[in-house]
Amino acid sequence: MTDLRNKSVDELVALVQSLEKELASEKSKNQMSRPKIAVMTSEVVDSNPYSRLMALKRMGIVEEYEKIRTYSVVVVGVGGVGSVTAEMLTRCGIGKLVLFDYDKVELANMNRLFFQPHQAGLSKVEAASNTLSLINPDVEIECHNYDITSVVNFEGFMNTLKTGGLNGGAVDIVLSCVDNYEARVAVNTACNELNIEWFESGVAENAVSGHIQLLIPGETACFVCAPPLMVASGIDEKSIKKEGVCAASLPTTMGIVAGFLVQNTLKKLLKFGDVTPYLGYIALKDFFPTMTLKPNPTCDDPFCRQRQKEFQARPPKEVQKQVEEVPIVHEDNDWGISLVDETPVEELVEDKNTLLKSQWDRQPSAAPGPSGDSEISTETVSGTDGIEDLMKRLKTLNQS
Amino acid sequence: MTDLRNKSVDELVALVQSLEKELASEKSKNQMSRPKIAVMTSEVVDSNPYSRLMALKRMGIVEEYEKIRTYSVVVVGVGGVGSVTAEMLTRCGIGKLVLFDYDKVELANMNRLFFQPHQAGLSKVEAASNTLSLINPDVEIECHNYDITSVVNFEGFMNTLKTGGLNGGAVDIVLSCVDNYEARVAVNTACNELNIEWFESGVAENAVSGHIQLLIPGETACFVCAPPLMVASGIDEKSIKKEGVCAASLPTTMGIVAGFLVQNTLKKLLKFGDVTPYLGYIALKDFFPTMTLKPNPTCDDPFCRQRQKEFQARPPKEVQKQVEEVPIVHEDNDWGISLVDETPVEELVEDKNTLLKSQWDRQPSAAPGPSGDSEISTETVSGTDGIEDLMKRLKTLNQS
């Protein structure tokens, strides 16, 4: 204080100027991104953030990668899975991202990727939007800081899905990355009514399993059609949000589920590879169950039933393949769930069993002798009640 | 300029003080982390970054999660896979991370997770270390900014592996996240000589497949024992670093491979679940091949051969299980590779085939009719030459 007052005006002016310069430099560090890029090119130079993505064309994987800029994707829930999902899409150069969350960043979230300690206290959508804009200023980012399950907010959510696309129309796909039942049902209800395809994702509260599932209104099971899947995924919806219960989480499991989610979204939007209708991840065994789920004709959601009728009424060309070539391997289970496979169900369950066993037995210490069955395989060789049995076994896997 | 000179000394002093305050605030944003935490606890409060990890104990997944602080992990290569690997371990609260790379951050790396545009031009290890320290100041981070394959640097690399552990002894595990053959051989040579377990990882240049592989000197194949695996993984080592060739990459594939790598590292260090000896990821089909690789008794690396002898000389109790319970399903392939399974090879290949087919056929449009085989399944029903055949098929998958 005294020091400053002893300085001459010249000295003070010089000091002010130097401080202003230093401040600008620090500010720029905090807000430094890169200039926007008008057109994606394949040019191979260090300064091109799209060169490695556009190379997918040269490698014969994607025909028109640059089309990614025409798509709008909604991410509901910007937590351990949603934030990484948003970051991956941002780095891939998606056209528009619409984020929904109503939570704040806490230090307790630092065991997952994306958020940093200095963001604690900010709303998740604001913190995410700041970081994502720095990473890729070419992506249009829209944030909604509210709970979609309240009646008034649900209206806003529906409107956003209906008009939030880049062209003012509907968004292209919705990715659900929420951690509770009510929010999943809200996404399901909106997507059934608006006829928008979406992916559901989830991670078990013990942190060592997760899944993604594609839901196409009328064509696949909706979230309300197939309740057992939640159980099979180890997500006990009623306990996960209990007071005082702290679910475990790992950056690995959540990063992998986000990776599966975005990879399948890219495959769907950019039309390459095969989109997997349901992909699970059982971390303790590195086992990846897959299945296809048919809609339930008596689903509680009236829009689901309406979409089913529309789907069935489509010209045969479109529908034929699904109807004729996908045998229902186990017709009499309660939820109309079918595994897409050409083998009869008993054989299929045996196959799955062999697969499970070979996964379980890869570790030398767990390998059964030539005569003995391992504990798990004994338990699972029931083979008669198809899906229910598989579900039970998945549940056991999740809990083991 | 003129404006400043018109101000009074009082005004200038006030301006200097206000600028100093603002500068301190901006600087703190750039360097803001959280206070260090002396002891990991399970306390469920928003301010505890370890609560969701310590919850793994209550969930019955990990017995002593806090032991993570006693481990030192080396990450060689801080690119698309290595940087995410380092971030996951940092967020998990690993004791010490030792990073090796000699590359600089470029905007062309922005299609992968972790680095941000404002870091372009910094060395990867410096940029990574800055970010990781902000994320978790409890982790000890050591950086080495050099190419481990040069003769003089290789000595330094060896010394770091030998003495870089938290207790001044050897590090606990090495994770290879490099993108070239020479660096992999360097890691292999060092780990064989020092008898250190390591994971190798890789992503194909077409960005849609990858793998991780555990290498235990003397017990599993070393990197030099099993060259065909590189081919099977779609990594054409000679072409990947060609001038003018720009490999494709995706944040999804690299994030998933990093997730598999860290998940299996956690399983190994914290003793939970089953560590997978080889786990592949074929993104276009969501197919995850696994296998176990036995060492080659005539391996070119003398330290590999020495470790094999030591392993075979171990007391029967330790070795018995591996030797007796892991049948070599195909003894006469050139590389001593075996799949751990209880079924004979023909049956095994049929099983794998069924698995492959069920994966391929999940998409309704690709499902073969009841009489016809799909193109791919026809190609793969050879069934007599075991591993070589599987390798070929993997290669085909990678290229498709």
Side-chain angles (χ1 to χ4, degrees), chain A residues 205-327:
Chain A
E205 62 176 326
N206 67 5
V208 288
S209 66
H211 72 277
I212 64 164
Q213 182 188 349
L214 173 64
L215 297 99
I216 305 175
E219 198 173 326
T220 70
C222 87
F223 185 70
V224 173
C225 284
L229 212 56
M230 283 183 299
V231 180
S233 309
I235 300 172
D236 181 349
E237 295 292 345
K238 272 160 204 146
S239 76
I240 201 163
K241 279 289 197 182
K242 253 186 212 158
E243 278 306 303
V245 170
C246 172
S249 57
L250 281 165
T252 43
T253 308
M254 290 185 148
I256 290 163
V257 169
F260 288 166
L261 182 61
V262 177
Q263 195 85 290
N264 278 282
T265 301
L266 292 175
K267 287 194 277 184
K268 188 156 184 55
L269 296 177
L270 299 174
K271 299 180 175 52
F272 67 99
D274 296 341
V275 179
T276 304
Y278 177 98
L279 175 60
Y281 168 49
I282 314 289
L284 297 183
K285 308 284 179 189
D286 280 330
F287 174 59
F288 304 87
T290 58
M291 60 188 93
T292 297
L293 297 149
K294 281 175 50 119
N296 175 359
T298 61
C299 178
D300 284 345
D301 185 321
F303 282 106
C304 174
R305 298 196 305 269
Q306 186 180 321
R307 300 294 163 235
Q308 289 183 52
K309 277 179 204 139
E310 289 164 10
F311 178 70
Q312 281 151 14
R314 274 195 226 163
K317 266 180 294 184
E318 269 185 77
V319 183
Q320 207 171 16
K321 275 191 172 173
Q322 280 92 334
V323 172
E324 287 183 3
E325 298 192 356
V326 182

Side-chain angles (χ1 to χ4, degrees), chain A residues 128-149:
Chain A
S129 166
N130 290 346
T131 305
L132 297 174
S133 305
L134 292 180
I135 291 172
N136 190 345
D138 299 329
V139 177
E140 190 181 326
I141 295 169
E142 182 182 309
C143 290
H144 298 277
N145 190 18
Y146 59 70
D147 177 359
I148 62 165
T149 65

Side-chain angles (χ1 to χ4, degrees), chain A residues 5 10 30 252 267 276 286, chain B residues 5 10 30 263 276 283 286:
Chain A
R5 294 202 172 273
D10 278 357
N30 281 326
T252 43
K267 287 194 277 184
T276 304
D286 280 330
Chain B
R5 293 201 173 275
D10 277 356
N30 282 325
Q263 195 85 291
T276 304
D286 281 330

Side-chain angles (χ1 to χ4, degrees), chain A residues 72-92:
Chain A
S72 315
V73 179
V74 172
V75 178
V76 187
V78 189
V81 173
S83 62
V84 181
T85 295
E87 178 173 353
M88 285 174 171
L89 287 167
T90 298
R91 291 185 182 268
C92 284

Side-chain angles (χ1 to χ4, degrees), chain A residues 111-112 203-208 240 245-250 254, chain B residues 51-59 61:
Chain A
N111 67 319
R112 286 152 286 179
V203 171
E205 62 176 326
N206 67 5
V208 288
I240 201 163
V245 170
C246 172
S249 57
L250 281 165
M254 290 185 148
Chain B
S51 58
R52 308 301 177 95
L53 296 163
M54 292 291 276
L56 289 164
K57 295 171 67 167
R58 202 176 342 105
M59 296 283 170
I61 304 295

Side-chain angles (χ1 to χ4, degrees), chain B residues 356-378:
Chain B
L356 287 169
K357 279 179 73 177
S358 76
Q359 295 267 352
W360 278 321
D361 298 347
R362 266 182 292 104
Q363 286 306 96
S365 60
S371 67
D373 279 322
S374 74
E375 195 190 329
I376 296 167
S377 64
T378 309

Side-chain angles (χ1 to χ4, degrees), chain A residues 58-73:
Chain A
R58 202 176 341 104
M59 295 282 168
I61 304 294
V62 182
E63 232 172 274
E64 292 184 277
Y65 188 86
E66 58 274 34
K67 274 208 170 166
I68 193 144
R69 285 200 163 185
T70 66
Y71 294 112
S72 315
V73 179

